[in-house]
């Protein structure tokens, strides 16, 4: 497997993952790999989370706001199979119990955390399994297996699909 990094002047350089920033931490196969605005997150088949990059908004979930230049194993408190992972200015994952965890910044919420927290939106999904999650700049969407759409975050430009009041 190869990891691609964006070099200066928008050229792309291919770097074997085992020789890059892994520090030999990632031993398992990779289930998910997602790129945020300034960070990268990996989930292994054993549901371990590793991240590196900018952490100014706490998006890495490390418990602090310091950037990481190498992969760091992240502790989340989650003990279930991770089924979804998305990144932007924040990092969001969902587990098989339909629990949503977020670390980082989402405008329009009280979230500006540097550790993963289970959201209070989980009660919405007790009887309706999450099919997928998508993250925008400061907002995210959830679609359930019953095709219900949920939107969270900022709506200053109408990006949640809700009418904006002027």
């Amino acid at each position: 497997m190869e990891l691609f990094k964006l070099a200066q002047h928008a050229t792309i350089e291919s770097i074997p993952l085992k020789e890059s920033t892994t520090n030999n931490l990632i031993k398992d196969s990779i289930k998910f790999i997602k790129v945020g605005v300034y960070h990268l997150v990996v989930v292994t088949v054993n549901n371990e989370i590793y991240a590196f990059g900018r952490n100014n908004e706490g998006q890495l979930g490390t418990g602090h706001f310091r950037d990481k230049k190498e992969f760091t194993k992240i502790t989340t408190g989650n003990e279930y199979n991770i089924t979804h992972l998305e990144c932007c200015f924040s990092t969001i994952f969902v587990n098989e119990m339909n629990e949503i965890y977020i670390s980082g910044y989402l405008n329009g919420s009280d979230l500006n955390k540097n550790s993963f927290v289970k959201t209070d939106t989980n009660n919405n999904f007790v009887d309706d399994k999450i099919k997928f999650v998508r993250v925008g700049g400061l907002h995210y969407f959830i679609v359930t297996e019953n095709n219900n759409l949920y939107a969270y975050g900022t709506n200053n430009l109408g990006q949640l699909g809700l009418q904006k009041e002027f």
Side-chain angles (χ1 to χ4, degrees):
M1 177 182 290
E2 293 191 351
L3 174 73
F4 294 93
K5 79 172 186 179
L6 191 58
Q8 290 182 343
H9 308 296
T11 60
I12 296 179
E13 175 185 347
S14 173
I15 302 169
L17 187 59
K18 65 183 180 207
E19 297 172 12
S20 68
T21 57
T22 64
N23 269 353
N24 294 317
L25 279 175
I26 303 175
K27 307 261 189 246
D28 299 321
S29 295
I30 292 174
K31 180 168 34 173
F32 301 115
I33 184 167
K34 295 290 181 168
V35 178
V37 175
Y38 301 109
H39 69 295
L40 181 110
V41 180
V42 169
V43 175
T44 69
V45 294
N46 289 324
N47 297 299
E48 293 178 334
I49 299 176
Y50 297 89
F52 80 92
R54 193 163 182 193
N55 196 31
N56 60 313
E57 302 290 353
Q59 60 267 43
L60 298 182
T62 55
H64 56 73
F65 293 100
R66 294 184 303 279
D67 297 349
K68 298 303 264 178
K69 293 183 180 178
E70 297 179 333
F71 273 106
T72 300
K73 187 174 180 181
I74 308 301
T75 304
T76 65
N78 171 54
E79 54 190 59
Y80 299 104
N81 182 41
I82 296 173
T83 57
H84 306 281
L85 173 70
E86 290 295 328
C87 300
C88 195
F89 290 108
S90 58
T91 300
I92 297 176
F93 73 85
V94 179
N95 67 26
E96 65 188 336
M97 303 302 290
N98 256 8
E99 297 172 329
I100 302 163
Y101 287 78
I102 300 177
S103 186
Y105 180 71
L106 280 173
N107 197 15
S109 73
D110 62 353
L111 289 172
N112 190 2
K113 309 290 187 202
N114 58 15
S115 297
F116 280 95
V117 292
K118 194 176 352 176
T119 69
D120 59 0
T121 61
N122 292 312
N123 293 334
N124 294 336
F125 310 108
V126 173
D127 297 321
D128 198 1
K129 189 136 182 80
I130 295 171
K131 189 187 324 186
F132 61 85
V133 178
R134 294 298 180 261
V135 178
L138 301 174
H139 55 285
Y140 66 103
F141 295 93
I142 294 173
V143 174
T144 66
E145 289 184 355
N146 292 333
N147 290 319
N148 293 315
L149 173 65
Y150 296 87
Y152 301 93
T154 188
N155 191 45
N156 63 325
L157 300 173
Q159 59 268 51
L160 296 183
L162 303 173
Q163 185 173 9
K164 183 182 169 202
E165 293 184 23
F166 294 95

